[in-house]
């Protein structure tokens, strides 16, 4: 069977696009458009790839922590919990959502470069497992709050290894000049480690790094692991501290268009883990529990967004525009990063494309574009337009600009669909208005 970009996207004999084995035109009929579809089987399969590879290569306590900023709603935290792995949260809002879903908070890690005192208190009240501490001021604030709560709070320290992976600048975070973490190069990493070890109400468990996102090569991860294990050895020698946890962050790339390479999560994770094991042996470092924090590579190719075509403008000698009933409000990634996407007509997926189109959203904003130069078979009002690989950083980045309501999220599993997030209503738009 013909597949498009990923093997959960196929074209049926009726010419319709199928996703996770289901006819997208029927799903659009049932749920309306725009709608975000999530292939739950794919999400679970990706989590298991990380989980099983980490367990086999490093040990039973190692696991992936789903970076929930990529996609956050209650049912997803339940899915992640049911697979026996952890999660990252970066705001009290994500934490609240995880708590509402009954997520086991001892497996939750609180990230972010500017946690407020209120955030810290709220997370401690809710029994957060770990804070991933970004800076000395935050360390002080957590120590104070943990003291007040009468607990010893587990933490990891976010270290900046000084790596600049080959990816888009706005989603690269590993360099010394990053706004995240404490750099090894400047000596801050060692200073903050000393500080953490001296705090009465803090239990330092180990270190974290995250070098960026949408990284296709393995080398930056291997290099980051080398630097981090070197740092572990250094802290053991200088401070007598043995880290029990090494968190290597997220960032494995995902194929968005046919020209992107196909990435095997299992092979990548195995290669990184084997390297970690060998490097620890080389330095005589006790093999720590290893965590990874995949976001995109868990959910991106589990997602697809369906829209209805409204108008088609063919500006002779210039450009052709197709306008859809969503746009930057549900997917701001082209506007932010000029991200590439694969776009198809879902109700006529078997027809040959005859011209190039710019797919524009419905907002009063020229930059509201989903993709430029996509080949489509002469779209018309009422056609169903599919954008592939929208599971990550779409719904979670959605906004109400122009008071556009956010689309629903529908989970697909074993040939059945169910609503995970309902479509926003106009009443939701004025819920906070006085
Ligand atoms: C964004 C982020 C991740 C997830 O990155 P992906 O590229 O989506 O895998 C993991 N860890 C941290 C700290 C992050 O900021």
């Amino acid at each position: 069977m013909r597949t498009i970009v990923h093997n959960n996207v196929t074209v049926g004999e009726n010419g319709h696009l199928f996703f996770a084995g289901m006819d997208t035109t029927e799903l659009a009929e049932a749920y309306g458009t725009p709608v975000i579809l999530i292939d739950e089987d794919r999400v679970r399969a990706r989590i298991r790839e990380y989980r099983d590879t980490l367990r086999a290569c490093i040990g039973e306590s190692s696991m992936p922590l789903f970076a929930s900023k990529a996609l956050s709603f209650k049912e997803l935290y339940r899915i992640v919990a049911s697979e026996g792995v952890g999660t990252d949260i970066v705001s009290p809002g994500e934490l609240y959502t995880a708590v509402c879903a009954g997520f086991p908070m001892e497996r939750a890690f609180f990230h972010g470069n500017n946690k407020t005192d209120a955030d810290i208190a709220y997370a401690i009240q809710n029994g957060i497992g770990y804070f991933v501490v970004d800076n000395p001021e935050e360390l002080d604030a957590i120590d104070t709050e943990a003291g007040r709560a009468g607990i010893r709070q587990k933490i990891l320290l976010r270290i900046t290894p000084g790596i600049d992976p080959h990816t888009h600048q706005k989603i690269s975070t590993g360099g010394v000049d990053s706004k995240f973490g404490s750099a090894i190069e400047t000596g801050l990493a060692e200073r903050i480690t000393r500080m953490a070890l001296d705090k009465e109400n803090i239990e330092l468990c180990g270190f974290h790094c995250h070098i960026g996102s949408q990284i296709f090569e393995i080398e930056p991860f291997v290099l980051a692991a080398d630097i981090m294990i070197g740092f572990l050895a250094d802290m053991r020698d200088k401070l007598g501290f043995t880290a029990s946890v090494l968190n290597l962050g997220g960032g494995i790339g995902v194929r968005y268009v046919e020209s992107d390479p196909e990435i095997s999560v299992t092979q990548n994770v195995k290669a990184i883990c084997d390297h970690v094991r060998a490097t620890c042996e080389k330095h005589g470092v006790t093999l720590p529990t290893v965590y990874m924090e995949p976001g995109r590579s868990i959910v991106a190719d589990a997602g697809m967004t369906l829209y209805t075509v409204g108008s088609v403008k063919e500006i002779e000698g210039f450009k052709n525009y197709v306008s859809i009933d969503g746009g930057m409000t549900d997917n701001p990634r082209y506007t932010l990063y000029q991200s590439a996407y694969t776009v198809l007509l879902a109700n006529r997926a078997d027809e040959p494309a005859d011209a190039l189109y710019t797919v524009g959203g419905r907002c009063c904003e020229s930059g509201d574009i989903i993709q430029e130069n996509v080949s489509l078979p002469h779209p018309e009002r009422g056609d169903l337009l599919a954008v592939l690989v929208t599971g990550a950083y779409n719904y979670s980045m959605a906004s109400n600009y122009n008071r556009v309501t956010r689309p629903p999220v529908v989970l697909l599993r074993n040939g059945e669909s169910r609503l995970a997030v309902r479509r926003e209503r106009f009443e939701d738009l004025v819920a906070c208005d006085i």
Side-chain angles (χ1 to χ4, degrees):
M1 193 182 303
R2 183 177 154 226
T3 67
I4 302 168
V5 188
H6 291 281
N7 63 6
N8 55 357
V9 184
T10 55
V11 180
E13 274 170 21
N14 58 4
H16 296 172
L17 194 66
F18 278 64
F19 187 49
M22 301 186 74
D23 189 325
T24 55
T25 67
E26 288 172 14
L27 291 165
E29 187 73 33
Y31 294 97
T33 62
V35 59
I36 298 171
L37 307 174
I38 299 291
D39 176 355
E40 182 179 342
D41 294 313
R42 175 64 61 113
V43 172
R44 289 181 181 273
R46 289 279 189 253
I47 291 174
R48 287 170 197 172
E49 278 192 73
Y50 274 99
R51 186 192 66 192
D52 298 346
T53 313
L54 277 160
R55 279 185 187 164
C57 297
I58 306 285
E60 285 299 309
S61 60
S62 294
M63 64 178 158
L65 315 170
F66 172 59
S68 66
K69 70 177 192 215
L71 186 63
S72 175
F73 52 82
K74 288 198 296 191
E75 188 66 0
L76 194 56
Y77 289 105
R78 294 184 197 115
I79 292 168
V80 172
S82 77
E83 294 295 337
V85 303
T87 195
D88 278 0
I89 53 111
V90 297
S91 73
E94 286 179 0
L95 187 129
Y96 174 78
T97 312
V99 168
C100 286
F103 195 87
M105 293 313 284
E106 69 276 8
R107 300 205 302 259
F109 290 66
F110 195 166
H111 273 278
N113 65 312
N114 189 17
K115 305 171 186 80
T116 67
D117 290 349
D119 296 349
I120 291 166
Y122 181 62
I124 289 178
Q125 275 159 29
N126 282 287
I128 188 86
Y130 297 76
F131 284 92
V132 183
V133 175
D134 184 272
N135 55 71
E137 295 98 314
E138 182 188 327
L139 186 64
D140 287 340
I142 294 171
D143 183 48
T144 303
E145 192 52 44
R148 201 173 289 155
I151 60 157
R152 231 171 141 232
Q153 178 63 51
K154 287 185 186 165
I155 68 156
L156 304 179
L157 290 172
R158 180 163 183 167
I159 303 300
T160 317
I163 293 173
D164 191 8
H166 312 278
T167 181
H168 195 288
Q169 206 188 342
K170 278 186 200 151
I171 43 181
S172 152
T173 54
V176 196
D177 57 349
S178 164
K179 77 164 179 174
F180 298 103
S182 304
I184 296 175
E185 239 172 292
T186 62
L188 182 59
E190 182 179 331
R191 277 207 305 285
I192 196 169
T193 305
R194 284 179 193 276
M195 286 171 63
L197 290 171
D198 285 342
K199 296 281 187 211
E200 209 174 315
N201 311 308
I202 296 273
E203 180 186 346
L204 177 63
C205 299
F207 302 102
H208 163 274
C209 70
H210 170 72
I211 55 173
S213 199
Q214 187 61 351
I215 302 165
F216 286 116
E217 304 86 5
I218 189 92
E219 290 78 22
F221 294 108
V222 164
L223 194 58
D226 277 345
I227 294 170
M228 293 299 289
I229 294 165
F231 184 70
L232 255 61
D234 209 27
M235 293 304 100
R236 177 203 55 197
D237 296 345
K238 284 185 176 156
L239 311 177
F241 170 67
T242 300
S244 58
V245 173
L246 175 61
N247 181 332
L248 292 171
I252 291 182
V254 171
R255 183 182 218 200
Y256 281 85
V257 290
E258 298 279 359
S259 58
D260 284 338
E262 227 172 323
I263 298 275
S264 159
V265 165
T266 298
Q267 276 173 26
N268 268 271
V269 173
K270 184 164 187 328
I272 295 164
C273 289
D274 287 347
H275 186 78
V276 165
R277 208 169 234 295
T279 312
C280 282
E281 255 167 54
K282 197 176 82 190
H283 289 276
V285 166
T286 316
L287 187 66
T289 290
V290 173
Y291 297 136
M292 288 186 185
E293 302 172 325
R296 187 190 309 275
S297 54
I298 299 283
V299 291
D301 64 21
M304 177 187 283
T305 308
L306 301 176
Y307 304 96
T308 301
V309 171
S311 69
V312 181
K313 249 176 223 166
E314 294 176 351
I315 310 173
E316 276 283 329
F318 293 94
K319 245 184 189 179
N320 303 323
Y321 282 98
V322 186
S323 292
I324 52 171
D325 55 354
M328 66 184 284
T329 46
D330 57 81
N331 180 1
R333 293 190 66 255
Y334 188 81
T335 307
L336 281 171
Y337 316 120
Q338 291 80 53
S339 308
Y341 279 104
T342 302
V343 181
L344 300 160
L345 283 194
N347 57 326
R348 296 194 277 127
D350 57 341
E351 291 183 22
D354 55 8
L356 290 180
Y357 294 86
T358 292
V359 180
R362 62 176 303 161
C363 286
C364 292
E365 177 72 43
S366 300
D368 177 14
I369 284 170
I370 290 285
Q371 200 60 206
E372 290 184 277
N373 296 319
V374 296
S375 310
L376 295 171
H378 195 84
E380 284 172 16
R381 187 177 179 87
D383 275 334
L384 191 64
L385 186 135
V387 180
L388 276 47
V389 196
T390 57
Y393 306 108
N394 274 227
Y395 178 72
S396 65
M397 282 187 166
S399 78
N400 290 125
Y401 180 52
N402 285 183
R403 293 238 151 174
V404 172
T405 52
R406 269 175 275 235
V409 179
V410 173
L411 295 174
L412 311 180
R413 191 175 195 202
N414 295 328
E416 292 191 12
S417 67
R418 71 184 198 280
L419 201 59
V421 182
R422 69 156 168 80
R423 187 181 300 286
E424 268 183 336
R425 304 180 182 122
F426 295 145
E427 304 93 273
D428 298 321
L429 296 174
V430 294
C432 303
D433 297 6
I434 308 298

